[in-house]
Amino acid sequence: MGMDLIDRKLLELLQSDATMPVAELAQKVNLSQTPCWKRVQRLKEAGVIRAQVALCDPRKLGVGTTVFVAVRTNQHTEEWAQMFTRAVQAIPEVVEVYRMSGETDYLLRVVVSDIDDYDRVYKLLIHAVPLYDVSSSFAMEQIKYSTALPVRETAIT
Amino acid sequence: MGMDLIDRKLLELLQSDATMPVAELAQKVNLSQTPCWKRVQRLKEAGVIRAQVALCDPRKLGVGTTVFVAVRTNQHTEEWAQMFTRAVQAIPEVVEVYRMSGETDYLLRVVVSDIDDYDRVYKLLIHAVPLYDVSSSFAMEQIKYSTALPVRETAIT
DNA sequence: AATGAAAGGCGCGACAC
DNA sequence: GTGTCGCGCCTTTCATT
């Protein structure tokens, strides 16, 4: 089954504000409440909408500094990968982790309060799992941060 | 004003699931509904809780591939910075942008469906603003992605 | 002064049409 | 897909310590 213009519009709206009442949502997509609500339910059941969460201000929580950590390993085994995955999952300051192509094996985004705080997380990480090489780059400013994914025609339900 | 253990617990809970009714929330922090609700309101008004949004599945929206783009500029002016900021803000595929220290000036996270799709976004970007150097790294796998920030004692309201 | 308990407004979630 | 109804949650007020 595909996803039409109305579903895409609904996703755009809910990705920017999930507190919006169904009545308002329905009005914005030129629909009545019930079919609008049914569409939203369908999108949730299909797993297109995964969750509904509160977003916090990093600075107000004392984690206004982002550090990107490029990690290289010399143990390309399944065991090491699992150990690494568990380690980063267990550290809440590590908010994003990607397995990369090219030079660096893994790229981490870490949120901390300052450089000293980063050193704490760094030590946590290297004690939890052996790393061949670690390169840290500090972000001076967050220009854009969006949890809203682009919704195009190619999407599938 | 500070933030106590209960507020921190509330933030943890709401960052993982904002659909949770206040009654359940109150129970989990050993409080009654009203004081619990008032605390949540305070956190919203203080801007600690910035928004409440729906999170979507990238693959189901056809943007399962993440590309990190390292950008260098040779025009270190305010005008260029503003132009660049406006450009990345206007492209929905660019979901995160950081001004970096070190070699690369800016780091972008871009979500696309595949390599051809990335080329489209790449062209959009270089046509919108002059870039001295662009280096793209593809992510093979998303190991971790969390919008939940760590909540520690150092937090301030 | 901040919490706990109770009452009203209102949006969510199922029915027929 | 549209309109209607009932249930349950959010929100407010009052009494309490």
Side-chain angles (χ1 to χ4, degrees):
Chain A
M1 268 288 286
M3 199 158 67
D4 62 0
L5 270 161
I6 297 177
D7 282 337
R8 299 212 292 274
K9 182 74 179 169
L10 286 173
L11 288 176
E12 279 180 22
L13 291 165
L14 290 173
Q15 280 189 117
S16 72
D17 182 15
T19 67
M20 197 180 296
V22 177
E24 191 178 340
L25 212 58
Q27 178 189 325
K28 283 184 191 289
V29 297
N30 293 320
L31 243 67
S32 188
Q33 292 196 21
T34 310
C36 180
W37 174 81
K38 280 193 175 181
R39 279 169 180 269
V40 175
Q41 287 304 103
R42 255 189 61 235
L43 290 168
K44 283 179 182 172
E45 282 161 18
V48 179
I49 296 177
R50 288 193 314 170
Q52 188 169 323
V53 301
L55 299 181
C56 293
D57 186 329
R59 311 188 74 152
K60 297 229 165 97
L61 289 184
V63 289
T65 302
T66 280
V67 187
F68 283 93
V69 185
V71 166
R72 293 182 66 183
T73 180
N74 50 6
Q75 301 175 45
H76 294 277
T77 63
E78 182 62 31
E79 288 77 29
W80 187 91
Q82 284 186 12
M83 195 196 305
F84 179 73
T85 298
R86 266 193 288 270
V88 295
Q89 290 286 1
I91 304 176
E93 284 84 359
V94 180
V95 289
E96 297 182 45
V97 178
Y98 301 87
R99 184 163 62 82
M100 303 298 292
S101 64
E103 289 297 300
T104 65
D105 293 317
Y106 295 90
L107 185 63
L108 285 65
R109 185 165 81 89
V110 178
V111 294
V112 290
S113 57
D114 51 38
I115 296 183
D116 286 352
D117 192 30
Y118 173 65
D119 196 48
R120 209 198 80 241
V121 179
Y122 170 81
K123 283 174 181 162
L124 266 176
L125 192 66
I126 60 169
H127 280 82
V129 54
L131 304 176
Y132 175 68
D133 189 40
V134 180
S135 168
S136 311
S137 305
F138 281 75
M140 309 302 292
E141 185 186 2
Q142 190 175 52
I143 307 272
K144 180 176 185 177
Y145 175 77
S146 175
T147 57
L149 300 172
V151 188
R152 40 263 278 263
E153 300 178 15
T154 53
I156 29 142
T157 33
Chain B
M1 269 289 285
M3 199 158 68
D4 63 359
L5 271 160
I6 297 177
D7 283 338
R8 299 212 291 275
K9 182 75 179 168
L10 286 173
L11 288 175
E12 279 181 21
L13 291 165
L14 289 173
Q15 281 190 118
S16 72
D17 181 15
T19 67
M20 197 181 296
V22 178
E24 191 178 342
L25 211 59
Q27 177 189 325
K28 283 184 191 288
V29 297
N30 293 320
L31 242 67
S32 185
Q33 292 196 20
T34 310
C36 180
W37 175 81
K38 281 193 174 179
R39 278 169 182 270
V40 174
Q41 286 303 104
R42 255 188 59 234
L43 290 167
K44 283 179 181 171
E45 282 160 18
V48 179
I49 297 176
R50 288 192 316 170
Q52 190 169 322
V53 301
L55 299 182
C56 293
D57 186 328
R59 311 188 74 153
K60 297 230 166 97
L61 289 184
V63 289
T65 302
T66 280
V67 187
F68 283 94
V69 185
V71 166
R72 293 182 65 183
T73 179
N74 50 6
Q75 301 175 47
H76 294 276
T77 63
E78 182 62 29
E79 288 77 29
W80 187 90
Q82 284 186 14
M83 195 197 304
F84 179 72
T85 298
R86 267 193 288 269
V88 295
Q89 291 286 0
I91 304 175
E93 284 84 358
V94 179
V95 289
E96 296 180 46
V97 178
Y98 301 87
R99 186 163 61 83
M100 303 299 292
S101 65
E103 290 296 300
T104 65
D105 293 316
Y106 295 90
L107 184 63
L108 285 65
R109 185 164 83 88
V110 177
V111 293
V112 290
S113 56
D114 50 39
I115 296 183
D116 287 350
D117 192 30
Y118 173 66
D119 196 48
R120 209 198 80 241
V121 178
Y122 169 81
K123 283 174 181 162
L124 264 177
L125 192 66
I126 60 170
H127 280 82
V129 54
L131 304 176
Y132 175 68
D133 189 41
V134 180
S135 168
S136 310
S137 304
F138 282 75
M140 308 302 291
E141 184 186 4
Q142 189 175 52
I143 307 273
K144 179 175 184 177
Y145 175 76
S146 174
T147 57
L149 301 172
V151 188
R152 41 264 279 263
E153 301 177 15
T154 53
I156 29 143
T157 35

